[in-house]
Amino acid sequence: MYAKAGSLTDAYKLFNDLPCRDMLSWGALLGGYVKQGESGHALELFQVMLLEGIKLNKVIALCMLKACGVSEALLQGRLLHLEVIELNVLTDPVIISALIDMYAKCGSLSDACNVLESSTTRCMVSWGALFGGLIDQGEYSTAFKMFERMSQDGIKPNEFIFSCLASACGKLKNLQRANFLHDQIIKNGVETDTVLGNTLVGMYTDCGSLLMARKVFNTLDSRSLVSWSTMISGYTQNGSALDAVKLFELMQHEGIKPNMVIYSSVLKACSILGAIGLGKLVHHFMIKNDEELDVVVGTTLIELYASCHSLCEACNVFYQIPNRNTVCWGVMVTSMAQHGMFELAKQYLDRMHQQGFKADAKVFTNILAACNQKGRSEEGQQFFELMMDVHDIVPSPEHIHCIVDLLGRKGLLMRAMKLLQSIHNTKDLCGWISLLSACRLHGNVALGRQCFKHIISLDYHVGAAYMLMSCIYAEAHMWDDYYELMEVMKKDMVREELVQ
């Protein structure tokens, strides 16, 4: 009673006061710990039970196998497997399934497969446990190999197994295999329930076959919120934003109340279409229905309003979000930068840092790209230094290329050179090639030579460097140097990766 009520302290105290602790009392206590998510403590108590000479039974074995799986305690799981063998219950399909599930959750799929292969009573439950484990561990191709093995045993798959395989098809984005699986479902006469139907819709959208996804969606006898959500998000993710909006309108016509996932997908579709008016209608619909704004939908709304140049609305939404996360802050910072409001972007970045959030590399990529687009070299260098010094982000080739390209296009070649030399990762070629390109743009032969020498000292066979330097010589009418370099290019096997 105490364990089921979640009061493990009282349960354990009462257990300790028992004059005689038998298998039933141990089972009750261990089961309580596992059900309340205390699998680690359950495994510790299980060892005490064995030391006290209490023998394992089937109920406790099932309980502890679950604990091993949840805790990913592979070694203890294998020892428990030996105990189960001595218990002589390996003919029980429930035990077999529990063993397979345990090994799968511990990441040992070879052990899970071995348990099934060595079993004399392979049934639907055991196969289902294996397929569930394979999908959870991302072994999608292996799942289809085991499906062939299952077919050899003459076992007809059920809805759960077909759902697992449909998920695998979607993850692999293999339309041919998806069509084959769908045919198998029809041939086996498996009733397409709501769960399997939703998985099939998701499978086809993941494979990019929106027509087949909609066909399955239309044939579903009972469409749940998951059905609508899967189809609408499928349209949005595959670039069919208008279809997503139309399906949302059909959903409204049928009187079905959307959830936050659907709102997020539709708002993304509005953003893609640039349909600020429709986005506002969806937003007002949410307000009218007293929908609490969560961080995912709120962030999507900020992106929508910012993409349509409605920064006031974006700010209003930002301050209405109760639990802002790193993504939400990052979108706000990026939105300000993309609209040239770099001082506001810096203020939001400072506040973000003060509240314990750190911007990721992608945020700074977007900021630097915005600085580059607006030609704001000073702000670009400030954000670049802020990225390294405050947010502890090591500049990626993309960051380096962006800032060097920005400084180079503004003619600040020496500043770009000093910046490159100050970065620890000077072996990265991307920034140096960007600077060499800027030297060509401004006809700076001397600095171009320095860049060229540095590049070929790192990698002698960089075709882009040779071509840029030859262009610099040609445009400066330095024909002797030009022909000398061209001879070097002919003699050496220069890689054919040229900057267009």
Side-chain angles (χ1 to χ4, degrees), residues 413-421 432 435 447 450-451:
L413 301 180
M414 290 307 300
R415 189 187 293 186
M417 170 71 94
K418 288 178 181 178
L419 186 143
L420 275 174
Q421 290 172 336
W432 289 99
L435 182 55
L447 190 58
Q450 290 184 51
C451 289

Side-chain angles (χ1 to χ4, degrees), residues 369 371-375 404-413 438 441-442:
C371 291
N372 202 348
Q373 187 181 12
K374 304 289 183 183
V404 171
D405 186 54
L406 170 60
L407 294 173
R409 283 200 291 160
K410 295 289 286 185
L412 304 170
L413 301 180
L441 178 67
H442 294 281

Side-chain angles (χ1 to χ4, degrees), residues 182-468:
H182 198 176
D183 288 340
Q184 289 296 308
I185 292 170
I186 296 168
K187 286 178 182 178
N188 280 272
V190 177
E191 184 181 349
T192 308
D193 61 6
T194 305
V195 175
L196 178 55
N198 293 341
T199 311
L200 286 173
V201 172
M203 173 187 75
Y204 279 122
T205 58
D206 287 340
C207 293
S209 181
L210 297 177
L211 287 174
M212 281 302 300
R214 186 59 184 267
K215 185 177 178 180
V216 174
F217 176 83
N218 288 340
T219 58
L220 291 177
D221 293 330
S222 175
R223 290 195 282 254
S224 64
L225 272 177
V226 176
S227 313
W228 290 95
S229 173
T230 305
M231 194 67 242
I232 291 173
S233 62
Y235 275 134
T236 304
Q237 290 164 11
N238 284 278
S240 295
L242 188 58
D243 288 318
V245 171
K246 287 179 179 178
L247 190 59
F248 178 72
E249 290 173 350
L250 177 62
M251 185 181 182
Q252 301 302 299
H253 181 72
E254 293 191 10
I256 299 168
K257 186 180 178 183
N259 59 13
M260 287 297 168
V261 178
I262 294 172
Y263 281 128
S264 180
S265 295
V266 173
L267 289 168
K268 282 180 183 176
C270 292
S271 183
I272 293 168
L273 295 169
I276 183 68
L278 184 58
K280 284 183 176 180
L281 282 174
V282 175
H283 190 188
H284 288 313
F285 183 82
M286 291 171 60
I287 296 169
K288 184 180 177 182
N289 285 277
D290 297 321
E291 298 283 4
E292 186 177 345
L293 197 65
D294 71 5
V295 69
V296 176
V297 176
T299 303
T300 310
L301 267 171
I302 293 170
E303 289 177 322
L304 167 66
Y305 283 129
S307 68
C308 298
H309 308 283
S310 298
L311 291 181
C312 287
E313 286 88 345
C315 289
N316 288 336
V317 171
F318 178 77
Y319 289 111
Q320 289 171 22
I321 299 172
N323 298 306
R324 293 187 285 268
N325 60 12
T326 304
V327 177
C328 182
W329 277 101
V331 167
M332 200 63 194
V333 172
T334 300
S335 298
M336 293 299 155
Q338 287 172 341
H339 286 82
M341 304 175 75
F342 295 105
E343 188 57 40
L344 269 176
K346 189 176 181 303
Q347 289 177 20
Y348 276 110
L349 202 58
D350 291 340
R351 287 178 56 199
M352 177 183 181
H353 187 254
Q354 289 167 8
Q355 294 193 19
F357 298 100
K358 282 194 175 184
D360 59 16
K362 186 179 177 182
V363 169
F364 281 99
T365 300
N366 292 332
I367 293 172
L368 292 173
C371 291
N372 202 348
Q373 187 181 12
K374 304 289 183 183
R376 305 287 284 270
S377 57
E378 293 296 331
E379 288 88 345
Q381 195 163 353
Q382 287 174 14
F383 280 114
F384 189 80
E385 290 168 0
L386 195 67
M387 176 183 77
M388 293 188 294
D389 299 338
V390 178
H391 292 265
D392 301 321
I393 295 172
V394 177
S396 68
E398 196 173 2
H399 294 135
I400 296 168
H401 168 74
C402 202
I403 188 66
V404 171
D405 186 54
L406 170 60
L407 294 173
R409 283 200 291 160
K410 295 289 286 185
L412 304 170
L413 301 180
M414 290 307 300
R415 189 187 293 186
M417 170 71 94
K418 288 178 181 178
L419 186 143
L420 275 174
Q421 290 172 336
S422 69
I423 297 170
H424 296 301
N425 188 21
T426 54
K427 291 185 179 181
D428 178 64
L429 293 170
C430 187
W432 289 99
I433 292 173
S434 294
L435 182 55
L436 184 57
S437 180
C439 290
R440 179 193 172 186
L441 178 67
H442 294 281
N444 193 321
V445 179
L447 190 58
R449 276 177 170 162
Q450 290 184 51
C451 289
F452 178 72
K453 287 178 181 178
H454 185 80
I455 292 166
I456 62 173
S457 70
L458 296 174
D459 186 346
Y460 195 75
H461 302 292
V462 181
Y466 284 88
M467 289 302 294
L468 284 169

Side-chain angles (χ1 to χ4, degrees), residues 8 13 19 79 81 124 136 156 169 194 199 258 265 455 458 494:
L8 295 175
K13 183 180 178 182
L79 292 172
H81 189 176
M124 191 72 73
D136 288 342
K156 182 181 175 182
C169 283
T194 305
T199 311
S265 295
I455 292 166
L458 296 174
V494 180

